Amino acid sequence: MEANGVEERADDVTALAAGLLDSVNESLGAPMAPVREAAFRGVPRHTFLPGTVWVGEDLVECDREAAPVDWLRHAYADTAVVTQVNDGGTAAPGERWASSSASAPSIVFRMLDLLDVRPGHRVLEIGTGTGWNAALLAHRLGPGRVTTVEVDPALAARAAARLEDAGLGVRTVRGDGARGAGAEGPYDRTVATCSVRSVPPAWIAGTRPGGIVLVPWESPWLCYGLLRLTVDGYGGASGSFSPYSAFMLMRGQRTDLRIYRDVVRDHHVPQESATRLAPGAVAGGDWAAQFAIGLQLPGVWRTWHENPDVKGVASRLWLATTDAASWAAVDLDGRTTDRFTVWEHGPRRLWASVEAAHGWWRESGRPGPERFGLTIAPDGRHTPWLDTPDNPVPVRG
């Protein structure tokens, strides 16, 4: 058996694949369906990975020829592995950032369950990446049923070669996935392997009425959740969220904000106030709170910094509008045990918006992502809603 031109010991691959299958089934809570297990066995994950991957929070390079045992172990771990850094550019170890990855197998198969493909379906995939997900779909559906679109030319070429070698009849398109795949639709299913902050209209227009659009979701506040939409046949779609996913943002929707210095300028004179709402309550470990805040404040970005210093103040949580017109900083430690200092600049009082969003979430019973949904109107307007015992109610914003 070969991957990228280097032989792998079949018994090593078999053992590692068996361990991965067990891990995925445990994560899913039940054995995967026989047709999906057949795809898992029929298109080995390692044959779609590049010879160099980057692993861990520090994006440590792992080269297949230099460290074949480690490389294969990463290929069959139930974790994401980064397959491209810095959009394919050269970067020193401390300057690397992930620009493409092979998703953790458990989320891949969780999404396949949600997509619910049936014999005869035609599927459009946005974000080819390594090509493994398209291969799994094609193994189930057969030749000519899967079209996949990749914006990065190097990734597209590599995936097309892997898919060609697999002989599964996948159509690979190099282009901007936000535009769909031209006149090839309508598709029964559209699935994205990158997160979005708004669903491109072409995905809804290119999916037949009653068809499914499945996309990882992201707000500037939090990258988290899956959105499963049903197309209504009138130019719109509606559906609900589920938790447990985080994908890289579609390149055309990236926000060029990464650190507090992207928004703070030396001439800014912030206003000081105090709050009793701890910054960790809205941007700490409670993902349900963060998800709800992100839905209510779709244009507000946030980040943590441990020890930045602005005008002599060591502030920790930073937030800003995505146009960088307004920003706020909140001191994690606070002056007392129940008061935290806030500094704000710009026309919008962002922390007041965060306090209101968090208060609404608490008053609504602290719902998780699975209680929320999204309706997209024919004009593209996105309206989030909260499912209640009586009727869905609009999410405040």
Side-chain angles (χ1 to χ4, degrees), residues 18-80:
L20 176 57
L21 181 61
D22 289 342
S23 295
V24 172
N25 285 338
E26 182 178 356
S27 178
L28 296 177
M32 67 175 65
V35 291
R36 286 193 253 287
E37 182 175 339
F40 174 87
R41 296 183 184 280
V43 284
R45 188 183 191 226
H46 77 280
T47 63
F48 286 86
L49 294 184
T52 299
V53 296
W54 292 264
V55 296
E57 293 183 1
D58 295 330
L59 296 179
V60 176
E61 182 177 304
C62 180
D63 181 77
R64 188 178 171 283
E65 293 192 2
V69 174
D70 288 342
W71 183 92
L72 192 62
R73 178 172 52 83
H74 291 305
Y76 283 98
D78 190 18
T79 57

Short mmCIF file of all heavy atoms in Angstrom, two decimals, residues 18-80:
data_model
loop_
_atom_site.label_atom_id
_atom_site.label_comp_id
_atom_site.label_asym_id
_atom_site.label_seq_id
_atom_site.Cartn_x
_atom_site.Cartn_y
_atom_site.Cartn_z
N ALA A 18 -8.13 0.33 12.49
CA ALA A 18 -9.07 -0.29 13.41
C ALA A 18 -9.22 0.52 14.68
O ALA A 18 -10.33 0.70 15.21
CB ALA A 18 -8.62 -1.72 13.73
N GLY A 19 -8.11 1.04 15.19
CA GLY A 19 -8.16 1.88 16.37
C GLY A 19 -8.92 3.17 16.12
O GLY A 19 -9.70 3.63 16.97
N LEU A 20 -8.71 3.75 14.94
CA LEU A 20 -9.44 4.98 14.60
C LEU A 20 -10.93 4.71 14.47
O LEU A 20 -11.76 5.50 14.94
CB LEU A 20 -8.88 5.57 13.31
CG LEU A 20 -9.61 6.81 12.78
CD1 LEU A 20 -9.63 7.92 13.81
CD2 LEU A 20 -8.96 7.29 11.48
N LEU A 21 -11.28 3.61 13.86
CA LEU A 21 -12.70 3.28 13.72
C LEU A 21 -13.36 3.16 15.09
O LEU A 21 -14.47 3.66 15.31
CB LEU A 21 -12.85 1.97 12.93
CG LEU A 21 -14.29 1.50 12.69
CD1 LEU A 21 -15.07 2.52 11.87
CD2 LEU A 21 -14.28 0.14 11.98
N ASP A 22 -12.68 2.52 16.02
CA ASP A 22 -13.21 2.42 17.38
C ASP A 22 -13.40 3.80 18.01
O ASP A 22 -14.41 4.07 18.67
CB ASP A 22 -12.29 1.58 18.26
CG ASP A 22 -12.31 0.09 17.90
OD1 ASP A 22 -13.26 -0.34 17.22
OD2 ASP A 22 -11.36 -0.62 18.28
N SER A 23 -12.42 4.68 17.81
CA SER A 23 -12.51 6.03 18.38
C SER A 23 -13.66 6.81 17.79
O SER A 23 -14.39 7.52 18.50
CB SER A 23 -11.19 6.78 18.14
OG SER A 23 -10.12 6.17 18.83
N VAL A 24 -13.84 6.71 16.48
CA VAL A 24 -14.93 7.43 15.82
C VAL A 24 -16.28 6.91 16.30
O VAL A 24 -17.20 7.69 16.61
CB VAL A 24 -14.82 7.31 14.29
CG1 VAL A 24 -16.06 7.89 13.61
CG2 VAL A 24 -13.57 8.04 13.80
N ASN A 25 -16.43 5.59 16.38
CA ASN A 25 -17.69 5.02 16.85
C ASN A 25 -18.00 5.45 18.28
O ASN A 25 -19.16 5.73 18.64
CB ASN A 25 -17.65 3.50 16.76
CG ASN A 25 -17.77 3.00 15.33
OD1 ASN A 25 -18.29 3.71 14.46
ND2 ASN A 25 -17.30 1.79 15.09
N GLU A 26 -16.96 5.52 19.11
CA GLU A 26 -17.16 5.98 20.49
C GLU A 26 -17.61 7.43 20.51
O GLU A 26 -18.51 7.81 21.28
CB GLU A 26 -15.88 5.81 21.28
CG GLU A 26 -16.00 6.22 22.73
CD GLU A 26 -14.73 6.00 23.53
OE1 GLU A 26 -13.75 5.46 22.97
OE2 GLU A 26 -14.70 6.38 24.71
N SER A 27 -17.01 8.26 19.66
CA SER A 27 -17.39 9.66 19.61
C SER A 27 -18.81 9.83 19.09
O SER A 27 -19.56 10.68 19.59
CB SER A 27 -16.42 10.43 18.70
OG SER A 27 -16.79 11.77 18.58
N LEU A 28 -19.20 9.01 18.12
CA LEU A 28 -20.55 9.10 17.57
C LEU A 28 -21.60 8.52 18.50
O LEU A 28 -22.79 8.81 18.35
CB LEU A 28 -20.61 8.37 16.22
CG LEU A 28 -19.76 8.95 15.08
CD1 LEU A 28 -19.88 8.08 13.84
CD2 LEU A 28 -20.17 10.38 14.76
N GLY A 29 -21.17 7.69 19.43
CA GLY A 29 -22.10 7.09 20.36
C GLY A 29 -22.75 5.81 19.87
O GLY A 29 -23.60 5.24 20.55
N ALA A 30 -22.37 5.36 18.67
CA ALA A 30 -22.91 4.13 18.09
C ALA A 30 -22.05 3.75 16.89
O ALA A 30 -21.39 4.62 16.30
CB ALA A 30 -24.36 4.32 17.66
N PRO A 31 -22.04 2.49 16.51
CA PRO A 31 -21.27 2.10 15.31
C PRO A 31 -21.79 2.84 14.08
O PRO A 31 -23.00 3.01 13.92
CB PRO A 31 -21.52 0.59 15.20
CG PRO A 31 -21.90 0.16 16.58
CD PRO A 31 -22.66 1.33 17.18
N MET A 32 -20.88 3.29 13.25
CA MET A 32 -21.30 3.98 12.04
C MET A 32 -22.05 3.02 11.12
O MET A 32 -21.88 1.79 11.19
CB MET A 32 -20.11 4.63 11.32
CG MET A 32 -19.12 3.65 10.73
SD MET A 32 -17.80 4.48 9.78
CE MET A 32 -16.93 5.42 11.03
N ALA A 33 -22.90 3.56 10.27
CA ALA A 33 -23.70 2.75 9.35
C ALA A 33 -22.77 1.92 8.46
O ALA A 33 -21.67 2.36 8.12
CB ALA A 33 -24.58 3.65 8.49
N PRO A 34 -23.21 0.73 8.06
CA PRO A 34 -22.36 -0.14 7.24
C PRO A 34 -21.84 0.53 5.96
O PRO A 34 -20.69 0.31 5.58
CB PRO A 34 -23.28 -1.32 6.91
CG PRO A 34 -24.22 -1.39 8.08
CD PRO A 34 -24.45 0.04 8.47
N VAL A 35 -22.68 1.35 5.31
CA VAL A 35 -22.21 2.00 4.07
C VAL A 35 -21.09 2.99 4.36
O VAL A 35 -20.19 3.18 3.54
CB VAL A 35 -23.37 2.71 3.34
CG1 VAL A 35 -24.34 1.69 2.78
CG2 VAL A 35 -24.08 3.71 4.25
N ARG A 36 -21.13 3.63 5.55
CA ARG A 36 -20.07 4.57 5.88
C ARG A 36 -18.82 3.84 6.34
O ARG A 36 -17.69 4.27 6.07
CB ARG A 36 -20.56 5.57 6.93
CG ARG A 36 -21.52 6.57 6.28
CD ARG A 36 -21.79 7.74 7.18
NE ARG A 36 -23.11 7.70 7.74
CZ ARG A 36 -24.23 7.93 7.07
NH1 ARG A 36 -24.18 8.19 5.77
NH2 ARG A 36 -25.40 7.90 7.66
N GLU A 37 -18.98 2.72 7.03
CA GLU A 37 -17.82 1.94 7.39
C GLU A 37 -17.13 1.39 6.15
O GLU A 37 -15.90 1.34 6.08
CB GLU A 37 -18.19 0.80 8.33
CG GLU A 37 -16.98 -0.01 8.77
CD GLU A 37 -17.29 -1.08 9.79
OE1 GLU A 37 -18.33 -0.96 10.48
OE2 GLU A 37 -16.49 -2.03 9.92
N ALA A 38 -17.92 1.01 5.15
CA ALA A 38 -17.33 0.53 3.90
C ALA A 38 -16.52 1.63 3.23
O ALA A 38 -15.44 1.39 2.67
CB ALA A 38 -18.43 0.03 2.97
N ALA A 39 -17.02 2.87 3.28
CA ALA A 39 -16.27 3.99 2.72
C ALA A 39 -15.01 4.25 3.53
O ALA A 39 -13.94 4.51 2.96
CB ALA A 39 -17.15 5.24 2.70
N PHE A 40 -15.12 4.18 4.85
CA PHE A 40 -13.95 4.37 5.71
C PHE A 40 -12.84 3.38 5.35
O PHE A 40 -11.66 3.74 5.26
CB PHE A 40 -14.37 4.19 7.17
CG PHE A 40 -13.24 4.23 8.16
CD1 PHE A 40 -12.81 5.43 8.69
CD2 PHE A 40 -12.61 3.05 8.57
CE1 PHE A 40 -11.77 5.47 9.62
CE2 PHE A 40 -11.57 3.07 9.49
CZ PHE A 40 -11.14 4.29 10.01
N ARG A 41 -13.22 2.13 5.11
CA ARG A 41 -12.22 1.12 4.79
C ARG A 41 -11.77 1.21 3.33
O ARG A 41 -10.63 0.86 3.00
CB ARG A 41 -12.80 -0.27 5.07
CG ARG A 41 -13.12 -0.51 6.55
CD ARG A 41 -13.62 -1.93 6.77
NE ARG A 41 -14.03 -2.18 8.15
CZ ARG A 41 -13.19 -2.44 9.14
NH1 ARG A 41 -11.89 -2.50 8.91
NH2 ARG A 41 -13.64 -2.64 10.37
N GLY A 42 -12.68 1.68 2.47
CA GLY A 42 -12.36 1.69 1.04
C GLY A 42 -11.50 2.84 0.58
O GLY A 42 -10.85 2.75 -0.48
N VAL A 43 -11.49 3.94 1.33
CA VAL A 43 -10.66 5.10 0.96
C VAL A 43 -9.82 5.49 2.18
O VAL A 43 -10.19 6.37 2.96
CB VAL A 43 -11.51 6.29 0.45
CG1 VAL A 43 -11.98 6.04 -0.96
CG2 VAL A 43 -12.72 6.55 1.35
N PRO A 44 -8.69 4.82 2.38
CA PRO A 44 -7.86 5.05 3.58
C PRO A 44 -7.46 6.52 3.71
O PRO A 44 -7.05 7.16 2.73
CB PRO A 44 -6.63 4.16 3.33
CG PRO A 44 -7.11 3.12 2.37
CD PRO A 44 -8.11 3.80 1.50
N ARG A 45 -7.57 7.05 4.91
CA ARG A 45 -7.31 8.47 5.14
C ARG A 45 -5.88 8.85 4.79
O ARG A 45 -5.64 9.92 4.21
CB ARG A 45 -7.60 8.81 6.61
CG ARG A 45 -7.54 10.31 6.92
CD ARG A 45 -7.75 10.56 8.39
NE ARG A 45 -7.95 11.97 8.70
CZ ARG A 45 -7.36 12.60 9.70
NH1 ARG A 45 -6.53 11.93 10.51
NH2 ARG A 45 -7.59 13.88 9.93
N HIS A 46 -4.91 7.99 5.10
CA HIS A 46 -3.52 8.40 4.91
C HIS A 46 -3.16 8.60 3.45
O HIS A 46 -2.24 9.35 3.13
CB HIS A 46 -2.57 7.38 5.57
CG HIS A 46 -2.38 6.12 4.79
ND1 HIS A 46 -3.29 5.08 4.82
CD2 HIS A 46 -1.38 5.71 3.98
CE1 HIS A 46 -2.86 4.09 4.05
NE2 HIS A 46 -1.70 4.45 3.53
N THR A 47 -3.90 7.97 2.53
CA THR A 47 -3.58 8.12 1.11
C THR A 47 -3.94 9.50 0.58
O THR A 47 -3.57 9.85 -0.54
CB THR A 47 -4.28 7.04 0.29
OG1 THR A 47 -5.70 7.19 0.40
CG2 THR A 47 -3.87 5.65 0.74
N PHE A 48 -4.69 10.28 1.36
CA PHE A 48 -5.09 11.62 0.92
C PHE A 48 -4.30 12.73 1.61
O PHE A 48 -4.45 13.90 1.26
CB PHE A 48 -6.59 11.82 1.15
CG PHE A 48 -7.44 11.08 0.16
CD1 PHE A 48 -7.78 9.76 0.38
CD2 PHE A 48 -7.86 11.69 -1.01
CE1 PHE A 48 -8.53 9.05 -0.54
CE2 PHE A 48 -8.62 11.00 -1.94
CZ PHE A 48 -8.95 9.67 -1.71
N LEU A 49 -3.47 12.39 2.58
CA LEU A 49 -2.71 13.42 3.28
C LEU A 49 -1.42 13.75 2.53
O LEU A 49 -0.81 12.86 1.92
CB LEU A 49 -2.36 12.96 4.70
CG LEU A 49 -3.52 12.76 5.66
CD1 LEU A 49 -2.99 12.39 7.04
CD2 LEU A 49 -4.40 14.00 5.73
N PRO A 50 -0.97 15.00 2.59
CA PRO A 50 0.31 15.36 1.97
C PRO A 50 1.48 14.80 2.76
O PRO A 50 1.32 14.36 3.91
CB PRO A 50 0.29 16.89 2.01
CG PRO A 50 -0.56 17.22 3.19
CD PRO A 50 -1.63 16.16 3.23
N GLY A 51 2.66 14.85 2.18
CA GLY A 51 3.85 14.30 2.83
C GLY A 51 4.29 15.06 4.05
O GLY A 51 5.02 14.53 4.88
N THR A 52 3.86 16.32 4.18
CA THR A 52 4.18 17.12 5.36
C THR A 52 2.89 17.62 5.98
O THR A 52 2.02 18.16 5.29
CB THR A 52 5.06 18.33 5.00
OG1 THR A 52 6.30 17.88 4.44
CG2 THR A 52 5.36 19.17 6.24
N VAL A 53 2.74 17.38 7.28
CA VAL A 53 1.62 17.92 8.03
C VAL A 53 2.17 18.68 9.22
O VAL A 53 3.35 18.56 9.57
CB VAL A 53 0.65 16.81 8.49
CG1 VAL A 53 0.02 16.11 7.30
CG2 VAL A 53 1.36 15.80 9.39
N TRP A 54 1.32 19.47 9.86
CA TRP A 54 1.72 20.24 11.04
C TRP A 54 0.77 19.88 12.16
O TRP A 54 -0.46 19.83 11.96
CB TRP A 54 1.67 21.74 10.74
CG TRP A 54 2.70 22.17 9.76
CD1 TRP A 54 3.93 22.71 10.01
CD2 TRP A 54 2.59 22.12 8.32
NE1 TRP A 54 4.60 22.98 8.84
CE2 TRP A 54 3.80 22.63 7.79
CE3 TRP A 54 1.60 21.69 7.43
CZ2 TRP A 54 4.04 22.73 6.42
CZ3 TRP A 54 1.84 21.78 6.07
CH2 TRP A 54 3.05 22.29 5.58
N VAL A 55 1.30 19.63 13.34
CA VAL A 55 0.48 19.09 14.42
C VAL A 55 0.67 19.90 15.71
O VAL A 55 1.69 20.55 15.92
CB VAL A 55 0.82 17.61 14.69
CG1 VAL A 55 0.49 16.76 13.46
CG2 VAL A 55 2.29 17.44 15.05
N GLY A 56 -0.34 19.82 16.58
CA GLY A 56 -0.28 20.48 17.87
C GLY A 56 -0.53 21.97 17.78
O GLY A 56 -0.60 22.56 16.69
N GLU A 57 -0.66 22.60 18.94
CA GLU A 57 -0.92 24.04 18.98
C GLU A 57 0.22 24.85 18.39
O GLU A 57 0.02 25.95 17.87
CB GLU A 57 -1.18 24.48 20.42
CG GLU A 57 -2.47 23.92 21.01
CD GLU A 57 -2.73 24.45 22.40
OE1 GLU A 57 -1.91 25.27 22.88
OE2 GLU A 57 -3.76 24.08 23.00
N ASP A 58 1.44 24.30 18.47
CA ASP A 58 2.60 25.02 17.95
C ASP A 58 2.86 24.73 16.49
O ASP A 58 3.85 25.23 15.92
CB ASP A 58 3.85 24.65 18.77
CG ASP A 58 3.75 25.12 20.22
OD1 ASP A 58 3.09 26.15 20.44
OD2 ASP A 58 4.31 24.46 21.10
N LEU A 59 2.00 23.93 15.86
CA LEU A 59 2.14 23.58 14.44
C LEU A 59 3.54 23.05 14.14
O LEU A 59 4.27 23.57 13.30
CB LEU A 59 1.80 24.78 13.55
CG LEU A 59 0.35 25.27 13.63
CD1 LEU A 59 0.14 26.47 12.73
CD2 LEU A 59 -0.63 24.16 13.28
N VAL A 60 3.89 21.99 14.83
CA VAL A 60 5.19 21.34 14.63
C VAL A 60 5.14 20.53 13.34
O VAL A 60 4.21 19.75 13.12
CB VAL A 60 5.53 20.43 15.82
CG1 VAL A 60 6.84 19.69 15.58
CG2 VAL A 60 5.62 21.26 17.10
N GLU A 61 6.12 20.71 12.51
CA GLU A 61 6.16 20.03 11.22
C GLU A 61 6.47 18.54 11.41
O GLU A 61 7.34 18.16 12.18
CB GLU A 61 7.22 20.67 10.33
CG GLU A 61 7.32 20.06 8.94
CD GLU A 61 8.34 20.78 8.09
OE1 GLU A 61 8.21 22.02 7.92
OE2 GLU A 61 9.28 20.11 7.59
N CYS A 62 5.72 17.72 10.70
CA CYS A 62 5.95 16.27 10.70
C CYS A 62 6.06 15.82 9.25
O CYS A 62 5.07 15.86 8.50
CB CYS A 62 4.82 15.53 11.41
SG CYS A 62 5.04 13.74 11.46
N ASP A 63 7.25 15.41 8.88
CA ASP A 63 7.51 15.01 7.50
C ASP A 63 7.43 13.48 7.38
O ASP A 63 8.04 12.76 8.19
CB ASP A 63 8.88 15.49 7.06
CG ASP A 63 9.19 15.11 5.61
OD1 ASP A 63 8.66 15.78 4.72
OD2 ASP A 63 9.93 14.13 5.41
N ARG A 64 6.74 13.01 6.39
CA ARG A 64 6.51 11.59 6.27
C ARG A 64 7.77 10.77 6.01
O ARG A 64 7.95 9.67 6.53
CB ARG A 64 5.50 11.34 5.14
CG ARG A 64 5.05 9.90 5.06
CD ARG A 64 4.02 9.73 3.96
NE ARG A 64 3.77 8.31 3.79
CZ ARG A 64 4.60 7.50 3.16
NH1 ARG A 64 5.71 7.97 2.64
NH2 ARG A 64 4.34 6.20 3.06
N GLU A 65 8.66 11.30 5.20
CA GLU A 65 9.89 10.57 4.92
C GLU A 65 10.85 10.61 6.10
O GLU A 65 11.55 9.63 6.36
CB GLU A 65 10.54 11.14 3.66
CG GLU A 65 9.73 10.90 2.39
CD GLU A 65 10.54 11.22 1.14
OE1 GLU A 65 11.73 11.59 1.28
OE2 GLU A 65 9.98 11.11 0.05
N ALA A 66 10.88 11.71 6.82
CA ALA A 66 11.80 11.83 7.96
C ALA A 66 11.27 11.10 9.19
O ALA A 66 12.05 10.58 9.99
CB ALA A 66 12.05 13.30 8.29
N ALA A 67 9.95 11.07 9.37
CA ALA A 67 9.36 10.45 10.56
C ALA A 67 8.12 9.66 10.16
O ALA A 67 6.99 10.03 10.50
CB ALA A 67 9.01 11.51 11.59
N PRO A 68 8.29 8.56 9.42
CA PRO A 68 7.13 7.82 8.89
C PRO A 68 6.20 7.26 9.95
O PRO A 68 4.98 7.23 9.76
CB PRO A 68 7.78 6.71 8.06
CG PRO A 68 9.16 6.56 8.61
CD PRO A 68 9.57 7.93 9.04
N VAL A 69 6.76 6.82 11.07
CA VAL A 69 5.91 6.25 12.12
C VAL A 69 5.02 7.33 12.73
O VAL A 69 3.81 7.13 12.91
CB VAL A 69 6.77 5.57 13.20
CG1 VAL A 69 5.90 5.11 14.37
CG2 VAL A 69 7.54 4.39 12.61
N ASP A 70 5.61 8.49 13.05
CA ASP A 70 4.82 9.58 13.62
C ASP A 70 3.79 10.09 12.62
O ASP A 70 2.64 10.37 12.98
CB ASP A 70 5.74 10.73 14.04
CG ASP A 70 6.56 10.40 15.27
OD1 ASP A 70 6.18 9.45 15.99
OD2 ASP A 70 7.58 11.07 15.51
N TRP A 71 4.20 10.20 11.37
CA TRP A 71 3.29 10.71 10.33
C TRP A 71 2.07 9.81 10.21
O TRP A 71 0.93 10.27 10.18
CB TRP A 71 4.04 10.80 9.00
CG TRP A 71 3.23 11.36 7.87
CD1 TRP A 71 3.15 12.67 7.49
CD2 TRP A 71 2.38 10.63 6.97
NE1 TRP A 71 2.31 12.80 6.40
CE2 TRP A 71 1.82 11.56 6.07
CE3 TRP A 71 2.05 9.28 6.84
CZ2 TRP A 71 0.95 11.18 5.05
CZ3 TRP A 71 1.16 8.90 5.83
CH2 TRP A 71 0.62 9.85 4.95
N LEU A 72 2.29 8.49 10.17
CA LEU A 72 1.18 7.56 10.03
C LEU A 72 0.30 7.58 11.28
O LEU A 72 -0.93 7.45 11.20
CB LEU A 72 1.71 6.16 9.77
CG LEU A 72 0.68 5.12 9.31
CD1 LEU A 72 0.06 5.53 7.98
CD2 LEU A 72 1.31 3.73 9.21
N ARG A 73 0.92 7.75 12.43
CA ARG A 73 0.14 7.82 13.67
C ARG A 73 -0.78 9.04 13.66
O ARG A 73 -1.94 8.95 14.06
CB ARG A 73 1.10 7.89 14.87
CG ARG A 73 0.41 8.03 16.22
CD ARG A 73 1.41 7.88 17.36
NE ARG A 73 2.54 8.78 17.20
CZ ARG A 73 2.53 10.07 17.57
NH1 ARG A 73 1.43 10.59 18.09
NH2 ARG A 73 3.59 10.82 17.41
N HIS A 74 -0.27 10.17 13.17
CA HIS A 74 -1.12 11.35 13.07
C HIS A 74 -2.23 11.14 12.04
O HIS A 74 -3.35 11.63 12.21
CB HIS A 74 -0.29 12.57 12.68
CG HIS A 74 0.65 13.03 13.76
ND1 HIS A 74 0.22 13.35 15.02
CD2 HIS A 74 2.00 13.24 13.75
CE1 HIS A 74 1.25 13.73 15.76
NE2 HIS A 74 2.34 13.66 15.01
N ALA A 75 -1.93 10.41 10.98
CA ALA A 75 -2.93 10.16 9.94
C ALA A 75 -4.11 9.39 10.47
O ALA A 75 -5.25 9.54 9.98
CB ALA A 75 -2.29 9.41 8.77
N TYR A 76 -3.89 8.56 11.50
CA TYR A 76 -4.96 7.71 12.01
C TYR A 76 -5.33 8.04 13.45
O TYR A 76 -5.87 7.20 14.17
CB TYR A 76 -4.59 6.23 11.84
CG TYR A 76 -4.78 5.80 10.41
CD1 TYR A 76 -3.70 5.75 9.53
CD2 TYR A 76 -6.05 5.54 9.92
CE1 TYR A 76 -3.89 5.40 8.20
CE2 TYR A 76 -6.25 5.19 8.60
CZ TYR A 76 -5.17 5.12 7.75
OH TYR A 76 -5.38 4.80 6.42
N ALA A 77 -5.09 9.26 13.84
CA ALA A 77 -5.60 9.76 15.12
C ALA A 77 -6.91 10.50 14.86
O ALA A 77 -7.12 11.07 13.78
CB ALA A 77 -4.60 10.71 15.78
N ASP A 78 -7.81 10.47 15.83
CA ASP A 78 -9.08 11.16 15.65
C ASP A 78 -8.94 12.64 16.00
O ASP A 78 -9.59 13.17 16.90
CB ASP A 78 -10.17 10.50 16.51
CG ASP A 78 -11.56 11.05 16.18
OD1 ASP A 78 -11.72 11.63 15.09
OD2 ASP A 78 -12.47 10.88 17.01
N THR A 79 -8.05 13.28 15.30
CA THR A 79 -7.81 14.71 15.47
C THR A 79 -7.59 15.33 14.10
O THR A 79 -7.24 14.64 13.13
CB THR A 79 -6.56 14.98 16.33
OG1 THR A 79 -5.43 14.33 15.73
CG2 THR A 79 -6.75 14.47 17.75
N ALA A 80 -7.78 16.64 14.04
CA ALA A 80 -7.46 17.35 12.80
C ALA A 80 -5.95 17.45 12.65
O ALA A 80 -5.23 17.57 13.64
CB ALA A 80 -8.08 18.74 12.83
#
